[in-house]
Amino acid sequence: MGSLFRSEEVCLAQLFLQSASAYSCISELGERGLLEFRDLNPKVSPFQRRFVGEVRRCEEMEKTFTFLQQELRAAGRVPGPCPESPRAPAAREALRVQEQSEQLAQELREVSRSRASLRGRLRDLRQCLHVLREGQRFTSLPAPLGSPPRPPALSEREPILDPSVRQHLERKISFVAGVIHPWRVTAFERLLWRACRGYLVASFVEMPEPMEDPATGESITWVIFLISYWGEQIGQKIRKISDCFHCQVYTYPESEASRTEAITRLHGQIQELSVTLEETEKYLAEVLDKVAQVLPTWRVQVQKMKAIYLVLNQCSFDVTKKCLIAEVWCPVRDLTQVQDALRQGSYQSGSSVECFVQRVPTSESPPTLIRTNKFTAGFQSIVDAYGVASYQEVNPAPYAIITFPFIFAIMFGDVGHGLLMFLFALWMVLYEDSPRLRQGTNEIWLTFFEGRYLILLMGAFSIYTGFIYNECFSKATVIFPSAWSVATMANHSSWSSAYLATHPSLTLDPNVTGVFQGPYPFGIDPIWSLATNHLNFLNSFKMKMSVVLGIVHMGFGVVLGVFNHVHFQQRHRLVLEFLPEMIFLLALFGYLVFLIFYKWIKFSAADSMVAPSILIHFIDMFLFTSNAENLPLYPGQVPVQMVLVVLALASVPVLLLGTPLYQWCRQGRLTMGAVPVQPLTTGEQEPLLEGQEAGNSVNATTEDVESGGHSPDAKHLDFAEIFMHQAIHTIEYCLGCVSNTASYLRLWALSLAHAQLSEVLWTMVMRNGFVGLSYVGGVVLVPVFAAFAVLTVAILLVMEGLSAFLHALRLHWVEFQNKFYVGAGYKLCPFAFAPDTWE
């Protein structure tokens, strides 16, 4: 939890890896996820790096795995996740994986090709069988009753040269049979009729069973056609038209005996092919089972292997080319774990020389590392959305754990709505380990689930502020007896029956003894919900509450800047920045808070009519005047206000010129006391890494390493740039104190809007359900309550909740974090084998 308040200390280090054990060491570091590697070869093309061959081999294996996965999905099998995270394979094991995967892929290709061929052959045989069966029905039909008798068959006793006999011989009937897609039957039949001029007889019938379309893979009911024709030219036309319509044409024997023999032969062939296809399917299922068993593990291993070689490509060889050198960002407290990982990797590789890590001085700003858990991750993501914290800067996230839900609840204060939100978040928290909730595909749902603890606190704080406002679905609850007594007021007043008849509203005078018995124990008295002036009362209360909380919130942000000044050894900023900022904020707006509380304490109901206006006093404060009609709150108020305004104005030039003048004077003293340093010659600038120019890296030369990473010449400070930056900061802060204070009034506006929407929803929807106490009223109440529940969730919980969330987010980003938070850093991205990324 220590790193939550400020990012951890991160150092630049070098890893010295022996060539034989570099792979094992990087694998061990990837399993632990401790280091962020830097690229020492930025000018080298990815295709010219040392381990590009190994990377390509991994990509080839990934292509093979993709083919295997596609075959599994085509068979209706979904490859499951890897049961456990295997380690990256060694070189010999990687070769074994490559060989086995290619062998399985080749087997799948051959078996799939054989299965497709067998299926196609079996489909053709079945279609041919159906064609012969249906065709035999057409050609073997008996003559219907009443039809003219058939002419007698030709015999050897008839004269051969008889002209009528010669005409019968020329009219030999031929057949074309096959199957066609049902969508093409109409056009096929029409074209046949037009092209052949009716010299044919075409019969069409649907196939008894549907079969697969080889082109699309869909199961359709084909149409069988049998065409009888006279003449060879007509037959050629029919065959050409059949080819144009992609018909499957089968040989149709002319004699019935030949057809019967063909049907019997087809039955035998279909039975043999079915047995062969069944055995092929069994073998294919065995191969797919083997693939489904080993593929998840292989994918994880190869992806880890590829990641390791990509990291090794970022390393550089030393001059002797026997050692790989890597630059890494490493948390200081994890250096011992890094050394242990290197020792373990060297032992696994069998190397006799251990690899080691060495810290390197640097002048660069390290990356930011803030460790979070499932509770703090949601709040940290809110801060990181504004900007990642600069290195070792104060982190606003731990304070946002309290302030963010509280500011949200001020705008969303309602016991009922807060309870619904709390229960929804509590359900997600209790079942957070459920895979069904974690593995959702809806992005909106995943956003809610990741912020479940944030929603839980927002709901809890909304319940608290709901009790303060005394609102539960816009209705007040009587937890304690009201402090106002109507009976006492009636006894001490002349309220007659005529007076009550003409005055629908009655005034309770707190100056009458016994009418007002003191403050309500907790929250707002429920009698205010019945008053006609309750909106005026809540306006005054919530407006002043918003101003007070806003100024306290901004002041807390200014105070947090002290921790940055002290940590970065910039103690001059305590006097030249923090002190003027606090004087400006407290002298003006802190005084406004004092006036609010002083008026609350000093004036009671007895003298409330003569209480002065704080707003007029605050305006007169800037005008250095006083108003005779607006009485002072305390003696000597005008001189005190004049002094406060002068102090606030005097702090502005100190804030504007203090830091630039201090930097300029400090730079002058350093320049006066500087000692000239002789620069090194070119020969003395020896690069540590091969192929690396001097100055290209933090540890580019031995002189840089020995001098702590700083060049001999001090960095020259540009006074104009410093002054411009400070001028922008001064203007932004002074004007921001005014605009940000007004910005916190959104707490008042959204709180009133939420209360009024709740009241309107109750009045216009739920109240209509209470039309009567009869059975009809109970029946009507059911749909009315359903509409009320739906509108409550859709409008007040979702829309109003989102609006309050966005406004609370803006108040934290702009009004709060702007006082101390820079957010100009970048995250530490360690090299790690995350299990979720491989699934």
Side-chain angles (χ1 to χ4, degrees):
M1 284 295 292
S3 65
L4 186 62
F5 295 93
R6 192 185 301 277
S7 61
E8 291 189 19
E9 184 181 357
V10 178
C11 67
L12 184 68
Q14 280 187 339
L15 303 181
F16 293 88
L17 309 173
Q18 295 296 323
S19 300
S21 59
Y23 180 88
S24 300
C25 292
I26 299 298
S27 174
E28 187 67 26
L29 291 173
E31 295 291 342
R32 304 193 184 192
L34 302 174
L35 307 176
E36 177 183 350
F37 286 83
R38 303 179 66 187
D39 192 0
L40 299 181
N41 309 303
K43 297 183 179 179
V44 180
S45 171
F47 302 102
Q48 297 176 349
R49 303 201 177 191
R50 181 176 180 84
F51 298 97
V52 64
E54 288 78 0
V55 174
R56 287 177 178 173
R57 188 178 66 175
C58 294
E59 292 176 349
E60 291 296 328
M61 284 191 283
E62 287 180 344
K63 292 180 181 179
T64 304
F65 297 159
T66 303
F67 167 75
L68 296 177
Q69 185 175 4
Q70 291 175 351
E71 291 295 322
L72 285 176
R73 291 179 177 175
R77 304 188 183 188
V78 179
C82 187
E84 57 183 8
S85 180
R87 302 184 67 87
R92 185 175 300 176
E93 187 179 357
L95 289 175
R96 180 185 61 81
V97 170
Q98 184 178 10
E99 292 177 359
Q100 292 183 358
S101 62
E102 291 178 353
Q103 182 180 358
L104 284 177
Q106 184 64 26
E107 288 183 8
L108 273 179
R109 291 189 184 96
E110 293 177 357
V111 176
S112 299
R113 193 181 302 114
S114 300
R115 184 185 63 173
S117 177
L118 290 175
R119 282 183 174 179
R121 178 60 180 161
L122 183 62
R123 182 178 61 252
D124 291 341
L125 291 179
R126 286 178 176 174
Q127 288 180 350
C128 184
L129 178 63
H130 286 298
V131 168
L132 292 179
R133 285 177 176 175
E134 297 298 331
Q136 193 170 11
R137 289 175 52 196
F138 293 139
T139 56
S140 301
L141 288 177
L145 296 177
S147 59
R150 294 184 180 181
L154 299 179
S155 62
E156 296 179 355
R157 291 178 293 179
E158 294 182 358
I160 296 178
L161 300 178
D162 189 359
S164 60
V165 174
R166 187 176 303 171
Q167 183 178 4
H168 285 293
L169 290 175
E170 291 177 355
R171 293 180 179 179
K172 181 181 179 182
I173 300 176
S174 301
F175 299 94
V176 174
V179 294
I180 186 173
H181 197 282
W183 295 353
R184 301 169 183 160
V185 172
T186 303
F188 179 64
E189 187 176 6
R190 185 184 301 115
L191 187 58
L192 283 176
W193 181 261
R194 292 178 179 177
C196 300
R197 298 181 181 180
Y199 288 99
L200 55 84
V201 176
S203 301
F204 296 90
V205 64
E206 288 187 351
M207 193 177 293
E209 60 177 344
M211 289 190 181
E212 180 182 333
D213 186 1
T216 61
E218 298 178 356
S219 180
I220 60 175
T221 302
W222 296 87
V223 175
I224 300 173
F225 64 88
L226 178 65
I227 304 172
S228 56
Y229 62 91
W230 297 267
E232 188 62 28
Q233 293 182 353
I234 300 298
Q236 292 179 0
K237 289 182 180 181
I238 293 173
R239 290 184 179 86
K240 288 181 180 180
I241 294 174
S242 300
D243 292 339
C244 292
F245 280 85
H246 303 284
C247 300
Q248 186 70 30
V249 179
Y250 297 98
T251 302
Y252 189 81
E254 296 182 1
S255 63
E256 186 173 353
S258 301
R259 290 194 292 269
T260 304
E261 181 182 356
I263 291 174
T264 305
R265 185 176 64 255
L266 286 175
H267 274 295
Q269 293 179 355
I270 290 174
Q271 187 175 2
E272 293 177 0
L273 276 179
S274 298
V275 174
T276 306
L277 182 60
E278 184 178 356
E279 295 297 328
T280 305
E281 294 280 359
K282 289 183 180 179
Y283 181 71
L284 179 61
E286 294 177 359
V287 177
L288 290 176
D289 289 339
K290 189 184 301 183
V291 171
Q293 183 179 0
V294 298
L295 182 60
T297 303
W298 284 355
R299 291 188 63 185
V300 174
Q301 287 182 323
V302 172
Q303 288 175 350
K304 287 185 177 182
M305 180 180 173
K306 180 181 178 182
I308 292 172
Y309 283 120
L310 290 176
V311 170
L312 290 176
N313 277 334
Q314 297 179 358
C315 304
S316 178
F317 275 92
D318 66 341
V319 180
T320 61
K321 294 189 177 181
K322 295 181 180 180
C323 177
L324 278 171
I325 300 177
E327 276 189 4
V328 295
W329 290 112
C330 175
V332 173
R333 77 174 191 176
D334 293 339
L335 282 173
T336 55
Q337 296 188 39
V338 172
Q339 186 60 54
D340 180 68
L342 295 178
R343 188 180 300 110
Q344 186 73 17
S346 301
Y347 173 76
Q348 292 175 357
S349 64
S351 176
S352 58
V353 181
E354 288 188 359
C355 304
F356 62 94
V357 59
Q358 179 182 358
R359 290 186 63 173
V360 176
T362 177
S363 59
E364 289 190 27
S365 177
T368 300
L369 173 62
I370 299 176
R371 303 181 195 263
T372 59
N373 52 34
K374 59 183 180 181
F375 177 76
T376 60
F379 299 93
Q380 188 63 51
S381 62
I382 290 177
V383 176
D384 291 342
Y386 175 82
V388 179
S390 301
Y391 179 64
Q392 299 240 308
E393 184 183 17
V394 171
N395 183 23
Y399 314 104
I401 294 176
I402 300 299
T403 59
F404 190 91
F406 181 66
I407 288 180
F408 170 86
I410 292 174
M411 298 177 280
F412 198 76
D414 190 287
V415 176
H417 302 155
L419 182 61
L420 292 178
M421 183 177 292
F422 179 82
L423 293 178
F424 171 66
L426 184 63
W427 171 73
M428 290 192 291
V429 170
L430 294 178
Y431 295 94
E432 61 183 6
D433 295 330
S434 173
R436 185 171 59 89
L437 299 182
R438 286 185 171 274
Q439 299 176 359
T441 57
N442 192 322
E443 186 177 357
I444 297 178
W445 163 252
L446 293 178
T447 303
F448 279 112
F449 185 75
E450 292 297 328
R452 57 192 179 277
Y453 288 98
L454 175 62
I455 300 175
L456 184 74
L457 290 185
M458 291 193 303
F461 277 77
S462 297
I463 296 174
Y464 169 75
T465 54
F467 279 115
I468 294 292
Y469 298 156
N470 203 347
E471 291 182 1
C472 181
F473 296 110
S474 78
K475 309 307 291 182
T477 57
V478 183
I479 303 176
F480 304 99
S482 176
W484 294 81
S485 176
V486 180
T488 304
M489 188 68 189
N491 294 331
H492 290 77
S493 61
S494 57
W495 289 351
S496 61
S497 300
Y499 181 85
L500 294 176
T502 56
H503 294 78
S505 300
L506 302 176
T507 302
L508 300 181
D509 189 358
N511 294 320
V512 177
T513 305
V515 174
F516 181 65
Q517 302 171 1
Y520 195 68
F522 186 80
I524 295 177
D525 198 307
I527 200 172
W528 283 105
S529 63
L530 304 175
T532 56
N533 60 338
H534 76 284
L535 190 57
N536 295 332
F537 170 75
L538 291 179
N539 268 335
S540 176
F541 167 72
K542 293 185 177 180
M543 179 178 64
K544 293 172 182 175
M545 176 193 66
S546 302
V547 172
V548 172
L549 292 178
I551 294 173
V552 171
H553 198 210
M554 290 190 297
F556 179 61
V558 176
V559 171
L560 287 179
V562 174
F563 298 97
N564 283 334
H565 302 331
V566 174
H567 178 78
F568 294 116
Q569 303 295 325
Q570 298 174 342
R571 300 185 183 274
H572 64 279
R573 293 183 180 269
L574 295 175
V575 179
L576 301 178
E577 290 189 9
F578 169 71
L579 190 59
E581 289 176 353
M582 289 301 295
I583 290 175
F584 186 86
L585 181 64
L586 296 179
L588 299 180
F589 302 100
Y591 179 70
L592 178 61
V593 175
F594 166 76
L595 292 180
I596 293 174
F597 280 97
Y598 186 83
K599 182 179 177 182
W600 280 345
I601 296 173
K602 183 178 179 181
F603 294 92
S604 62
D607 53 355
S608 60
M609 299 301 295
V610 297
S613 172
I614 295 178
L615 181 60
I616 295 177
H617 275 304
F618 199 60
I619 295 174
D620 292 339
M621 177 179 174
F622 291 95
L623 299 178
F624 294 94
T625 60
S626 61
N627 193 335
E629 298 179 357
N630 195 42
L631 299 178
L633 286 169
Y634 58 89
Q637 179 179 357
V638 175
V640 171
Q641 293 180 166
M642 294 177 64
V643 171
L644 292 177
V645 173
V646 171
L647 282 176
L649 295 178
S651 64
V652 175
V654 177
L655 182 61
L656 175 63
L657 302 174
T659 300
L661 290 177
Y662 174 81
Q663 296 284 357
W664 181 66
C665 295
R666 185 170 179 269
Q667 179 69 19
R669 289 198 304 270
L670 292 177
T671 305
M672 294 292 292
V675 179
V677 179
Q678 295 294 332
L680 297 175
T681 60
T682 306
E684 294 175 346
Q685 303 241 350
E686 180 185 355
L688 287 177
L689 305 180
E690 180 188 9
Q692 195 166 7
E693 300 176 359
N696 187 34
S697 176
V698 177
N699 56 332
T701 63
T702 55
E703 187 276 329
D704 290 336
V705 175
E706 294 170 357
S707 64
H710 299 280
S711 59
D713 298 331
K715 184 179 178 181
H716 178 69
L717 297 177
D718 189 356
F719 178 76
E721 182 179 352
I722 295 176
F723 176 79
M724 185 62 65
H725 180 272
Q726 191 66 23
I728 294 174
H729 172 71
T730 303
I731 296 172
E732 182 182 12
Y733 178 81
C734 295
L735 296 180
C737 285
V738 180
S739 62
N740 294 346
T741 303
S743 181
Y744 276 95
L745 292 177
R746 70 184 68 237
L747 300 177
W748 159 47
L750 268 76
S751 176
L752 287 178
H754 184 80
Q756 292 302 306
L757 277 175
S758 301
E759 186 174 353
V760 168
L761 191 60
W762 179 274
T763 303
M764 300 186 65
V765 180
M766 195 62 191
R767 183 181 294 179
N768 295 328
F770 303 111
V771 293
L773 299 179
S774 61
Y775 291 104
V776 177
V779 173
V780 172
L781 186 61
V782 174
V784 170
F785 177 76
F788 175 77
V790 171
L791 293 176
T792 298
V793 173
I795 297 178
L796 295 179
L797 287 183
V798 178
M799 295 179 60
E800 278 288 309
L802 180 60
S803 175
F805 177 86
L806 294 177
H807 284 283
L809 193 65
R810 180 247 154 77
L811 290 176
H812 275 77
W813 281 357
V814 179
E815 278 72 21
F816 175 60
Q817 293 179 188
N818 196 30
K819 300 295 183 294
F820 68 98
Y821 187 66
V822 178
Y826 60 101
K827 282 187 178 181
L828 178 73
C829 300
F831 169 68
F833 299 137
D836 296 339
T837 59
W838 313 123
E839 297 179 0

